[in-house]
Amino acid sequence: MSLYYEDIEIGARFTTASHVITEADIADFCRLTRDHHPLHTDAAYARQAGFDGIIAHGLYGLALMEGLKTGLKLYEDSSIASLGWNAVRFVLPMVAGDEVHVEMAFTDQRESRSRPAGVVTEAVDLILADGSPAITAEHVSLIRKRG
């Protein structure tokens, strides 16, 4: 399925497959971003800070949100660009072993002023297995029109 601008229905909701965050995921993100803060690498340090173990980077969670959302294949043929993420909030920590999924809904749309496309806004939440949001955000994309 590939949605074009004309197919967007404000209020339509989608849920992604889930993903279990692993220590390897966190370590890989440390390596890729060069962020080796002890909250992400040292379980004893993280526990002293009040966490159950090493925590995933908030930006890892944000990137994972986009990856999980991409798995829905909503814009396979219609995506032009991500225009940005707004109102990002890291609500709860994510630790290795946490299972997460994304819940998203279309909240706004408008025609592009510069090309035959539209700007689409989504409410996007990364949800823990107990139903609590770990991250909440708004994502804005540029989506092709048909033809």
Side-chain angles (χ1 to χ4, degrees):
M1 162 173 68
S2 194
L3 298 177
Y4 288 81
Y5 177 74
E6 297 88 345
D7 302 322
I8 302 300
E9 294 180 28
I10 301 305
R13 305 182 74 74
F14 301 87
T15 301
T16 71
S18 63
H19 173 76
V20 176
I21 297 170
T22 66
E23 286 189 19
D25 290 341
I26 297 168
D28 286 345
F29 198 81
C30 286
R31 184 181 52 76
L32 287 171
T33 62
R34 304 181 56 81
D35 178 352
H36 298 279
H37 189 280
L39 284 173
H40 310 303
T41 61
D42 183 336
Y45 181 93
R47 281 190 201 88
Q48 282 185 331
F51 299 104
D52 293 335
I54 61 169
I55 60 172
H57 306 69
L59 292 176
Y60 164 75
L62 189 64
L64 180 61
M65 290 166 74
E66 183 62 19
L68 290 172
K69 196 167 62 85
T70 299
L72 293 171
K73 299 185 181 291
L74 296 178
Y75 308 123
E76 282 293 290
D77 302 316
S78 57
S79 178
I80 297 172
S82 172
L83 300 178
W85 290 82
N86 302 319
V88 176
R89 295 292 175 263
F90 303 128
V91 180
L92 291 172
M94 300 167 293
V95 298
D98 277 346
E99 184 173 349
V100 297
H101 70 274
V102 167
E103 295 178 3
M104 65 158 279
F106 295 122
T107 59
D108 195 27
Q109 69 185 123
R110 68 171 175 78
E111 298 209 16
S112 171
R113 294 179 195 99
S114 62
R115 58 171 77 196
V119 177
V120 175
T121 304
E122 309 157 344
V124 187
D125 300 323
L126 187 66
I127 306 295
L128 296 164
D130 70 0
S132 302
I135 301 174
T136 62
E138 177 183 85
H139 183 233
V140 182
S141 298
L142 188 62
I143 305 299
R144 292 186 206 298
K145 287 185 169 184
R146 292 191 178 278

